[in-house]
Each structure stands twice: as structure tokens, then as C-alpha cells.
Amino acid sequence: MGREHWKKIWVGSAGNMVEWFDWFVYASFATYFAGAFFPEGNDTAKLMNTAGIFAVGFFMRPVGGWLLGRVGDRKGRKAALTLTVSLMSASAILIAVAPTYGVAGYGGAVVLLIARLLQGLSVGGEYAASATYLTEASAPEHRGFASSFQYVSMTAGQIVGLGLQIILQRTMSDDALHSWGWRIPFIIGALGAAIVFYLRRNMLETDVYEESGDDALAGDKGTIKALWAHKREAFLVIALTMGGTVAYYTYTTYLTKYLSNSAGLPKQTATLVSFCALIVFACLQPLAGKLSDRIGRRPLLITFAVGSTFLTVPIMTMLKHAGSFWPALGLALLALVVITGYTSINACVKAELFPTGIRALGVALPYAIANALFGGTAEYVALWFKDAGRESGFYWYVAGCAAVSLVVYLSMRETRDIDLNRVTAPSPAPHEDAVAPAPARVE
């Protein structure tokens, strides 16, 4: 890969890291600020309230996917990426200054809700814009490797958030963290977003987008009409995302709470388990992405789905009784190794399904819908099962979602060798002057 390709990947990844730092830091610090915005009561109920607001952010992602996906297809990937980080910066500032329940009653929770709505808009467009950008910015034979850096940067954002949490836990008292220390990461996130805004203002557009010109979609670029012409691919994105997003959020954002609230590990130990596991997980992404460039995307997706379907229940059951750092870390790593089959390549798989003029929206809207329905609600569903006294039901729920995606992976065709410049809108009948068959499509 040339220097220019690496520069594009670096800038896209750096911005993505800050975006996801702000997104995930809400989840990782929720145990500290849950009581700040709601009246005294059951601890699990407080977490359910903050998890509910967390889920609301996901339900704004389809709106953000539609709006920012449209911007990405009509104005360029650079324009969409610059706008997403601006929205994220604003949301981080709002959370950092939100008044507590003791000061403004439920007014603080309203500010928190507004901030999460802005985050939902931002991330709804960020995923697709960065997935499309990283996929288009790389050479065809390196698309899996390059696009894997999306989850490297996403995970890096969470690692930085957890690392900051570990530092604060060791330098501040528990009372101070619950009182005001939880605001620190949101202030840092806002500053980081401002830096990335500058970087993205000066980033390079992808050659694939610039060379697309007035393609077959013409004025329909980035529209629902154009996306509907690819409804088959759109529904495929929802189905193949279902199992992966539930598993990902279970073993990343929810893991720390699960180890603390269910397994009974101290908060510091639970945080350290997640931190160490995520470092290994981030390192695995480029390796798996590179492997997909050699053997294809389907083998990795199928491996993930089989592993998640049959291993989720035993892994979660053993995690609940891990009892200490090392057993918990080993089980978390096993789960994340399995999930790597999905996370390392899902960005390029989705981008490879759509033509240039609808690629950002085609990835954004269906993916955001799947995340709103399954990823964003995973933590709330887990806490609901726990509150109902049937926590193991959540394990079967995660396994069931993976089983549905497995059926999709087994029936879909390989996308590795698709030419991004030649993916075209479906037509009623083949043109007799066609010089080459259409790229492999999903059946």
C-alpha cells in the first residue's frame, strides 16, 4: 500500500477513534453517573435508566444514517466525516456540563438525552462514512486489511476510554468519581473531536468517489429511491449485522458492567479485564482482515456465527462464575477472538454490495436500523433479563441472533473480488452490448 493510502487510512481512523471514544465512554462511565441524573433507588434500575438513554442514541442512528449517508453520497465522504465529528463534539460538551438531579431534577436527564440524540445522529453517519472511506481508499487486494482499521479505531477509542477510567479510579476517590470525576472523559472527548475536525477538513477524498462522476444514478445519488433499487442488499446488511452487533456490544460495552454487576468482580478488576481484552482484540483486526483478502469474507463470517451460536451460553455462564482477573480475561478473549470474524471485515463486506453513488447510504441506513434494533438494545435486554431473575435468557438471545446471521452467511455469495467502480444499479434486462457480466451479487 502506498503512502497516500496509508495517510487516508490514518486520518479516517483517527477521527473514528475519537467518535467512538465519545460514544463508548458513556457506557463505560455509566456506573459512576447513573445516580447523578436519577433519584435514589435500586442500582440495577438506575443502570436500566441510563441504558435506556444509551439505547435511544441507537434509535437516532437510522436518522443519522439517512441524513449523513445522503451527504456522503452527494457531497463526498470528506464532507460527511467532517459533519459527524462536529455533532459528536457538541454532544460531548453537553454531557460534560449536564446538571445533576439534585440541581435540576430531571432536567439533567433531559440534557443527557439530547446529547445522546446528537451522538446517535453522528455515529449513524460515521460508521458508513468511515466504512466507505476506508474501503474505497485502499487497493482492491487490500480492502479487507484496510477496512479492518475501522474496528481497530473503534476499539482504540474504547481502550483509551477504559484506560482513562483506570487512571481516574487509581487517582481519585470513589466519591469524587461519582460526584464530578465522570465529567472528565467527556471534556477530553470534546477537545479530541475539535482536533479531528481540523484533520478532516484537510483530508483527501477517495479516488473511487472522485472518479465516479455522473454515474448511472445521476440525480438519485444518496436517495431512498436509489437505495430501494438495492433493497435486496439493504435487507442483507440488516440480517448479516444482527448477530454481529449483539455479540459485539455484549462483550465490549456491556462486559464491564456484567463482570461488576453480575459476576461480582470489583469495578477496577472488571475494567482492567475489558481493557486488556480489547487491546488484544484491536491487534487481531488487521490480521483477520488480511486473511480475508486471501481466503474471502464468507469463511470468517461463518466462523464467527458458528462460534457465537454455540459458545455464547457456556462463555457467559462461566464468566459469571469466573471469580478473578485471569479466568475472566481468558473467557473474554475467547469471545472476542470469535467476534473478530465479523468485526474485522463487516465494513468492507457491506461497502462492496453497493455502487458508489449509493454506497454511503446503502451501508448507513440498513446498518443503523440493525444496530437500533439489536446492538443498541443489547445492554437493556441483558439488564431486563437480570432484573426479571432470568439472566441466562440473555445468553440464549445472543446465540439466537448469531444463528439467524449464520443462515445469511451460508446463503450469500463472496464479495471479495467485486470491482467497486463497476457495481451498478440493477436493471430489468441485460444490455446486449454489455462487455462483461455484473459483479457477483447476493442471492
Side-chain angles (χ1 to χ4, degrees):
M1 294 180 64
R3 181 178 179 181
E4 186 172 297
H5 284 130
W6 278 110
K7 182 178 180 180
K8 290 178 179 179
I9 291 173
W10 156 245
V11 176
S13 297
N16 201 37
M17 182 185 73
V18 174
E19 284 268 358
W20 289 93
F21 168 86
D22 287 338
W23 178 260
F24 282 123
V25 93
Y26 178 99
S28 62
F29 277 85
T31 54
Y32 290 104
F33 66 74
F37 298 103
F38 302 98
E40 291 298 322
N42 182 276
D43 287 341
T44 299
K46 291 180 183 178
L47 284 175
M48 287 184 70
N49 286 329
T50 53
I53 293 178
F54 183 76
V56 166
F58 276 86
F59 282 100
M60 285 302 292
R61 288 174 67 163
V63 180
W66 168 58
L67 291 174
L68 296 169
R70 181 180 173 87
V71 171
D73 286 327
R74 299 183 75 87
K75 302 298 182 181
R77 319 310 188 202
K78 173 183 174 180
L81 287 169
T82 302
L83 182 55
T84 60
V85 78
S86 301
L87 291 172
M88 186 60 75
S89 179
S91 67
I93 292 173
L94 281 178
I95 297 176
V97 301
T100 64
Y101 181 83
V103 173
Y106 285 106
V110 172
V111 173
L112 189 65
L113 177 62
I114 293 172
R116 287 298 295 174
L117 293 177
L118 288 176
Q119 284 190 339
L121 284 174
S122 175
V123 177
E126 171 67 25
Y127 174 88
S130 62
T132 302
Y133 187 86
L134 290 171
T135 301
E136 291 182 348
S138 59
E141 65 273 16
H142 297 304
R143 286 202 301 254
F145 174 75
S147 65
S148 72
F149 281 89
Q150 182 182 44
Y151 268 83
V152 172
S153 56
M154 284 174 62
T155 306
Q158 189 172 7
I159 289 171
V160 173
L162 287 171
L164 178 60
Q165 187 174 16
I166 291 172
I167 292 172
L168 294 179
Q169 285 173 338
R170 282 160 172 71
T171 58
M172 298 180 66
S173 68
D174 196 59
D175 288 342
L177 274 173
H178 281 84
S179 176
W180 60 272
W182 59 265
R183 297 182 186 273
I184 295 175
F186 296 104
I187 296 172
I188 293 175
L191 293 175
I195 294 173
V196 171
F197 175 81
Y198 171 77
L199 292 175
R200 286 186 166 179
R201 284 290 300 273
N202 294 281
M203 71 193 301
L204 301 172
E205 187 58 85
T206 68
D207 294 335
V208 171
Y209 181 82
E210 289 187 329
E211 292 170 4
S212 64
D214 295 323
D215 62 13
L217 294 173
D220 289 335
K221 282 185 177 182
T223 64
I224 296 297
K225 176 183 176 182
L227 180 60
W228 188 248
H230 291 268
K231 55 183 177 295
R232 205 176 200 178
E233 289 79 3
F235 284 115
L236 175 68
V237 169
I238 293 175
L240 69 85
T241 300
M242 178 181 177
T245 189
V246 170
Y248 177 75
Y249 282 99
T250 296
Y251 293 112
T252 55
T253 59
Y254 181 60
L255 180 63
T256 303
K257 296 186 197 60
Y258 179 72
L259 292 175
S260 175
N261 205 29
S262 295
L265 294 180
K267 287 181 180 179
Q268 292 186 359
T269 302
T271 303
L272 188 60
V273 168
S274 293
F275 180 76
C276 294
L278 287 173
I279 289 177
V280 177
F281 178 65
C283 294
L284 290 174
Q285 303 310 300
L287 298 177
K290 192 173 184 64
L291 179 63
S292 78
D293 286 327
R294 291 180 173 271
I295 68 174
R297 321 299 190 211
R298 287 182 70 246
L300 273 72
L301 291 172
I302 292 171
T303 299
F304 149 71
V306 170
S308 192
T309 299
F310 294 102
L311 294 179
T312 295
V313 174
I315 288 176
M316 292 296 287
T317 301
M318 288 187 287
L319 270 174
K320 188 172 183 177
H321 301 93
S324 61
F325 173 81
W326 288 108
L329 177 61
L331 290 166
L333 285 175
L334 175 59
L336 290 173
V337 167
V338 171
I339 295 172
T340 294
Y342 166 80
T343 55
S344 60
I345 58 170
N346 82 93
C348 65
V349 169
K350 294 161 189 171
E352 288 166 344
L353 294 174
F354 299 95
T356 303
I358 195 63
R359 186 168 293 132
L361 181 61
V363 175
L365 187 55
Y367 174 80
I369 290 173
N371 264 271
L373 295 175
F374 304 106
T377 59
E379 183 178 326
Y380 192 85
V381 171
L383 291 170
W384 181 86
F385 273 111
K386 177 177 174 59
D387 198 51
R390 299 180 176 86
E391 191 165 32
S392 62
F394 176 67
Y395 315 160
W396 290 101
Y397 168 75
V398 177
C401 290
V404 173
S405 288
L406 174 59
V407 174
V408 177
Y409 301 153
L410 290 172
S411 61
M412 68 181 286
R413 288 187 176 180
E414 182 58 61
T415 63
R416 178 189 59 177
D417 298 320
I418 286 178
D419 184 349
L420 295 182
N421 289 302
R422 292 182 56 235
V423 182
T424 58
S427 55
H431 194 287
E432 62 182 14
D433 294 329
V435 296
R441 311 295 292 171
V442 176
E443 294 292 320

